[in-house]
Amino acid sequence: MLLIDCPFCGKRPEVEFHCGGEAHIARPADPAQVDDAIWAEHLFVRKNPRGLHAERWRHLHGCGQWFNALRDTYTDRFVETYKAGEQPKHPLTETRA
Amino acid sequence: MRRFSLASLLKEAVDGHQGWGRQWRAPDPKPAYDVVIVGGGGHGLATAYYLATVHGITNVAVLEKGWIGGGNTGRNTTIIRSNYLYDESAHLYEHALKLWEGLSQELNYNVMFSQRGVLMLAHNAHDVQSFKRHVYANRLNGIDNEWLSAEECKAFCPPLDISPDVRYPVVGGALQRRAGTARHDAVAWGYARGADARGVDIIQNCEVTGVRRDASGAATGVETTRGFIRAGRIGVVAAGNTSRVMAMADVRMPLESYPLQALVSEPVKPVFPCVVMSNAVHAYISQSDKGELVIGAGTDQYTSYSQQGGLHITTHTLDAICEIFPQFTRMRMLRSWGGIVDVTPDRSPIIGRTPVDNLFVNCGWGTGGFKATPGSGHVFAHTLATGQPHPINAPFTLDRFRTGRLIDEAAAAAVAH
């Protein structure tokens, strides 16, 4: 079980949290101007990297807040957690070979 | 290929079993192949086998970064069934089930396919309605599936407790009698042996590190840890690592890779005659021919390539197993493990062309790919040989996420696959 550092509450066990998938996916600003391919990209296509992954979590059975986390998907270790709307301190380009 | 038969067995018994040779070669990669398959699991090996036997294409290499059948082929719970709700899925999985029924004879290799029946338990009114809908939909597609009362469930699977005062009362069940289990390693080995005998090169410990493309963007070969290999066509069958391989060709996929766990108990005498699944409490269980209870757990909530999942996921499944089958509460679990499954948004696979010419993909089998192994290989071989999908895999395009023609088994199947 993961130990997750909620930016609001501190370290808590994974069962208190809900994972919301990849972070920093922006909805198309003008939906009417966007074609099907871009909608498919927005709705379905994911980076799914082996290495650092920015993802959304919600402290469901705690403060209830959404926040972001940077986690290595090869080791499952969290590198950092940060509040929604912020960017991670670590560069996201690092992926494992 | 030396055929296995009673005569060969008797001869080896007399000779002290010294004459059993290797079942497939360990060749060095050639500079070029007509078809290169990335991934030596059951699906990839089956694809190579059917390319050779059905389409006569034998200049084929299967590249495997580890050893064949060492990924999800060796990590599943070996359950085979075809009682899927939607027509597209039903046709695909039934195609596979029909191939399973003759597979040991076809391969001359005992895959220990056992049609012991898969019983899905209904615990409440919603389950009853949902399962009856499945039964009727399956029958319209010519697939056997029948509704059993609680008493009939008990007669088919005596370890069940159908008394009304248990925590999860059994109010009935849907039974597919032709469903069952098979020996997963034997499936990989049997296909490898059959493909190798027809000239396919199975190259283990050879990891693909890049996809080379020409000026027009078409794929021309793969970079590997054993050098560049030119390919007429490339078939990616890399399960949980598909996103990574496809990224080498700049193709972004609608996939996420999750850990899926399973576990087995200590071996005991035969106590459990069939496969029982309970979607409502998320538990499924069968007994292997070795005597171990084989139990499938769920996926973790986060993506991962670690091939291990959280302990609370397996504990949750064991809670449900112990609740339904209290007689197993004192058994010890021997081993647990995780595999990385590639899950699509609609929980249906992707089998077909990609935006890159000469690059084809067979992925997205998620938590239920083992049962489809023969059918998946058969239709993907057709796609690789002709450049066009077989009618059975035509709906399972990558493009369906753009057009919106999803095959939403996620909603239909709820959990267990």
Side-chain angles (χ1 to χ4, degrees), chain B residues 84-329:
Chain B
Y84 279 69
L85 180 64
Y86 293 120
D87 292 352
E88 296 90 342
S89 325
H91 294 153
L92 179 63
Y93 291 101
E94 179 64 10
H95 181 55
L97 182 50
K98 283 184 174 147
L99 288 169
W100 277 114
E101 287 175 329
L103 195 61
S104 290
Q105 288 75 19
E106 155 120 29
L107 296 176
N108 179 234
Y109 203 97
N110 188 3
V111 298
M112 297 168 72
F113 179 50
S114 159
Q115 292 179 297
R116 60 186 67 182
V118 170
L119 178 63
M120 296 177 128
L121 298 180
H123 299 291
N124 52 50
H126 172 79
D127 283 351
V128 173
Q129 290 164 2
S130 165
F131 289 178
K132 283 189 173 173
R133 184 182 174 211
H134 276 70
V135 167
Y136 300 139
N138 290 157
R139 287 193 170 184
L140 286 172
N141 278 319
I143 296 168
D144 76 302
N145 197 0
E146 61 192 277
W147 177 255
L148 301 188
S149 67
E151 291 73 23
E152 289 167 327
C153 289
K154 173 78 178 170
F156 186 76
C157 182
L160 275 180
D161 181 358
I162 57 165
S163 46
D165 57 349
V166 295
R167 185 171 174 191
Y168 305 117
V170 175
V171 296
L175 172 65
Q176 185 177 28
R177 292 184 192 271
R178 286 165 61 241
T181 60
R183 168 105 167 87
H184 47 9
D185 295 326
V187 177
W189 298 336
Y191 274 123
R193 174 171 171 265
D196 177 85
R198 289 163 180 83
V200 172
D201 283 354
I202 294 159
I203 301 161
Q204 304 185 78
N205 299 308
C206 177
E207 183 172 356
V208 169
T209 55
V211 176
R212 198 180 283 185
R213 297 167 67 181
D214 65 15
S216 71
T220 58
V222 289
E223 310 281 355
T224 76
T225 49
R226 299 184 66 179
F228 175 69
I229 300 172
R230 186 169 296 280
R233 283 181 174 150
I234 301 168
V236 176
V237 200
N241 284 296
T242 302
S243 292
R244 294 176 59 221
V245 177
M246 296 303 284
M248 296 170 192
D250 299 322
V251 179
R252 280 164 52 80
M253 298 295 291
L255 291 173
E256 289 188 300
S257 297
Y258 293 96
L260 177 67
Q261 295 180 83
L263 58 165
V264 293
S265 73
E266 57 191 328
V268 290
K269 286 183 179 177
V271 287
F272 208 77
C274 58
V275 181
V276 168
M277 309 178 85
S278 171
N279 285 0
V281 297
H282 199 182
Y284 59 103
I285 184 167
S286 62
Q287 189 175 20
S288 72
D289 292 341
K290 219 176 354 178
E292 302 157 327
L293 295 177
V294 183
I295 296 166
T299 54
D300 280 274
Q301 55 172 333
Y302 49 83
T303 65
S304 176
Y305 288 82
S306 63
Q307 291 193 321
Q308 57 191 351
L311 184 62
H312 62 290
I313 303 288
T314 45
T315 311
H316 175 71
T317 290
L318 289 176
D319 286 347
I321 292 285
C322 292
E323 202 66 59
I324 301 174
F325 300 106
Q327 62 267 50
F328 296 146
T329 49

Side-chain angles (χ1 to χ4, degrees), chain B residues 383-401:
Chain B
T383 309
L384 280 167
T386 64
Q388 299 298 325
H390 189 282
I392 288 174
N393 69 313
F396 294 91
T397 61
L398 180 56
D399 200 40
R400 72 175 185 269
F401 298 99

Side-chain angles (χ1 to χ4, degrees), chain A residues 1-2 14-15 17-19 36-37 40-41 44-50 53 55 57 71 73-74 76 97, chain B residues 65 240 243-244 252-257 300-306 308 310-312 345 401-402 406:
Chain A
M1 189 182 299
L2 306 177
E14 180 200 334
V15 286
F17 295 84
H18 165 74
C19 184
D36 289 350
E41 176 86 12
F44 301 125
V45 174
R46 295 294 177 263
K47 286 196 188 103
N48 196 25
R50 188 173 81 159
H53 187 227
E55 56 197 12
W57 286 84
R71 184 176 56 89
T73 62
Y74 189 63
D76 292 337
Chain B
K65 72 171 176 174
S243 292
R244 294 176 59 221
R252 280 164 52 80
M253 298 295 291
L255 291 173
E256 289 188 300
S257 297
D300 280 274
Q301 55 172 333
Y302 49 83
T303 65
S304 176
Y305 288 82
S306 63
Q308 57 191 351
L311 184 62
H312 62 290
F401 298 99
R402 184 185 63 80
L406 304 183

Side-chain angles (χ1 to χ4, degrees), chain A residues 55-80:
Chain A
E55 56 197 12
R56 304 165 73 225
W57 286 84
R58 186 178 175 218
H59 195 182
L60 185 65
H61 302 296
C63 62
Q65 299 267 25
W66 282 98
F67 61 93
N68 295 329
L70 207 56
R71 184 176 56 89
D72 185 333
T73 62
Y74 189 63
T75 59
D76 292 337
R77 269 181 215 286
F78 282 86
V79 176
E80 62 174 301

Side-chain angles (χ1 to χ4, degrees), chain B residues 28 39 72 82 101 117 131 159 240-241 285 291 347 362:
Chain B
D28 289 325
N72 294 347
S82 65
E101 287 175 329
F131 289 178
N241 284 296
I285 184 167
R347 299 300 193 276
N362 181 354

